[in-house]
Amino acid sequence: MTTDDPIPPRIVGGGINTRESEQPVVVTQMLGIDDSEPVREEVLRARFLSFDPLFDSASNLVAHQLVLRGRTASADAPPELQQMDEDMLLTGLYSLTQGNLTGTLPLLVQISPGVLFSDIPQQLNHRQLVWRINIDNEQHLARALALQDARLTFCPALNRANPVVKESESIWRYLACDANDTPPSVSARPVVDGVRHSHTQAHWPDHAWFKGSFFSGDTQPADSSRELALQLDLLGIALRSSLDTLIQFLRLNPEMAPRLLAIAHSQVGGMSRPAESAAHALIMLGPQRASRVAALLALTGIHPTEASRHYAITALTRALFLGKITRLSASAENAAEAFEIGLLSTASLALGIPQESLARKLGLSASCARALGVHDSAEGALLRLAHACENNDVDTLAAYAQQLDVPLHQISVAYLDALIAASALDAALQ
């Protein structure tokens, strides 16, 4: 990148924890955002709750299912992780019911047998709630029927290998089904998961409800690997959950620890001394740097390829650059949002997930989603500025420099500083 403007002295600092120098207008202090202000309950709900849509056979919206944004423990995940997810979901549901659920559409909520046998369903029950539950044996069946008699509504997934459980099909208002199941010959409304093709949907009766990629594009591909699922879970936790949750996730998935330590111990992590474990490293890094190290791990996976290394280094370069440029005229909080946009700019390619689906799964803010999507926005303009730097597009750089009222030499130096700092990540990914 060339310019006739004089080049200022080399900027000190770099990596995720860039620090202030004699050129504070260029170098971004990415840490130290003032988080002492109380966060409103509805804002917290918006950060970790989402409402997956359900459609009828004519693709009309008919219901929602309450889910966690960005992560869902798989059926074979450790019990502790599944319990963590359910606790978060029920906490959000409690908050919603305290606010007296609005709207007219049913809201489905998946619960475990442990919750079924607790007082929680009766305490949280609301006329719009439909409890999804796996009924595997006679004990589950008896408990669900007792609660149904108490005017709770259920959408059970019945264990068809148990004759007693299977014979109860006719006494339910809803039945949870998989797209590959044989449709039940009862009047209950089937709620069908996983429809991906029109010929599959055609097998189901007209009164069925559907949740799947054929209707919404949100279902994770069936051939997705376990490592990819872990990467997506980790990215969601890194962006939206607490440090304690992040530490717990690494403890439950110890195979990810060596790569996290490699990134944390590199110049990118910027740790002052070696950590004894992944959990120790995350504590030493602090919440913001820990989340960013974890996000880089999520982009690369346990066994980085040449492509994933490229995506991660490019993402970090853009993140540092966008943060620095934003800090020229805005607060550290604005710079942190710009950093996140840059960090996520390659996530769709790295994880092989459509951008809109990724935005919903991660619970991205509207401004972040706009920047990463096709919509014009101020944040998106900064990302296009980063693209111009990558391509040495002098004309575009000059136009954005004038638009942002930032001297071209400052843009040049900020990008060079980000590029050099991010290059240190390569060694940690080998």
Side-chain angles (χ1 to χ4, degrees):
M1 189 160 36
T2 60
T3 176
D4 295 332
D5 294 328
I7 303 290
R10 175 78 178 93
I11 300 173
V12 299
I16 283 181
N17 190 21
T18 7
R19 297 189 180 279
E20 301 283 2
S21 72
E22 295 178 358
Q23 293 83 28
V25 295
V26 175
V27 177
T28 304
Q29 173 64 37
M30 295 308 302
L31 300 182
I33 295 175
D34 182 10
D35 57 2
S36 60
E37 292 296 319
V39 181
R40 293 181 62 83
E41 189 174 82
E42 58 267 26
V43 175
L44 287 173
R45 289 202 303 260
R47 286 182 182 177
F48 71 89
L49 289 181
S50 186
F51 299 86
D52 278 359
L54 278 76
F55 303 89
D56 63 14
S57 57
S59 297
N60 298 309
L61 179 65
V62 289
H64 292 97
Q65 180 165 340
L66 188 68
V67 296
L68 293 180
R69 286 181 178 270
R71 58 177 298 228
T72 301
S74 60
D76 59 350
E80 296 89 347
L81 188 57
Q82 295 185 42
Q83 183 67 56
M84 186 189 309
D85 276 0
E86 186 168 56
D87 289 346
M88 290 175 65
L89 188 68
L90 292 175
T91 299
L93 178 61
Y94 176 79
S95 175
L96 287 171
T97 55
Q98 289 296 103
N100 194 18
L101 290 173
T102 59
T104 59
L105 298 180
L107 180 64
L108 282 69
V109 181
Q110 180 77 44
I111 57 174
S112 66
V115 173
L116 178 69
F117 282 91
S118 72
D119 295 330
I120 293 174
Q122 289 173 292
Q123 292 173 350
L124 297 184
N125 194 44
H126 187 280
R127 59 179 179 79
Q128 289 174 244
L129 289 179
V130 179
W131 301 99
R132 292 194 62 160
I133 180 68
N134 296 334
I135 295 183
D136 296 321
N137 53 49
E138 291 88 337
Q139 289 77 25
H140 296 168
L141 177 60
R143 175 61 175 170
L145 288 175
L147 291 176
Q148 183 169 257
D149 289 341
R151 297 190 176 183
L152 277 71
T153 305
F154 285 89
C155 177
L158 302 178
N159 178 9
R160 300 191 175 192
N162 185 310
V164 176
V165 172
K166 186 178 184 305
E167 286 177 4
S168 72
E169 282 184 338
S170 61
I171 61 179
W172 305 105
R173 182 177 173 185
Y174 303 95
L175 283 174
C177 304
D178 184 82
N180 297 318
D181 290 344
T182 300
S185 56
V186 293
S187 60
R189 184 187 302 277
V191 178
V192 187
D193 275 325
V195 175
R196 293 182 174 86
H197 306 285
S198 57
H199 64 79
T200 305
Q201 184 264 335
H203 293 162
W204 291 88
D206 290 340
H207 68 286
W209 288 352
F210 301 94
K211 179 186 173 189
S213 58
F214 178 68
F215 293 88
S216 62
D218 292 330
T219 301
Q220 189 169 317
D223 58 354
S224 176
S225 68
R226 178 178 181 274
E227 181 173 354
L228 179 58
L230 283 178
Q231 287 175 251
L232 185 58
D233 281 351
L234 177 57
L235 187 57
I237 292 171
L239 294 175
R240 297 292 174 260
S241 296
S242 67
L243 180 59
D244 287 342
T245 302
L246 184 57
I247 291 172
Q248 182 69 358
F249 180 89
L250 267 295
R251 284 173 174 162
L252 294 172
N253 299 279
E255 68 272 26
M256 305 189 87
R259 184 65 60 188
L260 180 131
L261 283 170
I263 298 172
H265 285 148
S266 71
Q267 292 181 26
V268 168
M271 293 192 355
S272 59
R273 57 190 174 87
E276 299 174 359
S277 65
H280 185 209
L282 293 173
I283 292 171
M284 289 174 63
L285 289 167
Q288 192 172 66
R289 276 197 298 163
S291 73
R292 291 169 178 174
V293 166
L296 290 170
L297 172 60
L299 292 178
T300 62
I302 304 169
H303 306 291
T305 63
E306 183 178 354
S308 64
R309 290 198 300 272
H310 170 72
Y311 290 140
I313 294 170
T314 300
L316 182 56
T317 302
R318 292 175 180 175
L320 291 167
F321 174 65
L322 265 61
K324 293 172 189 294
I325 291 297
T326 301
R327 196 67 174 96
L328 298 177
S329 58
S331 67
E333 187 170 358
N334 294 119
E337 183 178 38
F339 188 103
E340 182 175 297
I341 290 169
L343 198 60
L344 293 174
S345 63
T346 65
S348 178
L349 294 172
L351 300 175
I353 296 175
Q355 189 62 62
E356 290 185 1
S357 297
L358 187 67
R360 190 198 67 80
K361 288 178 181 294
L362 297 179
L364 300 184
S365 66
S367 58
C368 185
R370 283 195 302 269
L372 298 174
V374 298
H375 305 289
D376 288 335
S377 67
E379 297 83 5
L382 284 174
L383 194 54
R384 290 190 292 275
L385 176 61
H387 295 162
C389 290
E390 293 165 0
N391 297 314
N392 198 24
D393 184 346
V394 178
D395 292 338
T396 301
L397 285 172
Y400 275 112
Q402 184 175 8
Q403 177 183 331
L404 297 171
D405 194 25
V406 177
L408 189 57
H409 73 266
Q410 290 189 345
I411 294 177
S412 302
V413 174
Y415 181 73
L416 180 62
D417 189 61
L419 188 65
I420 293 172
S423 67
L425 180 63
D426 189 53
L429 302 181
Q430 297 292 335

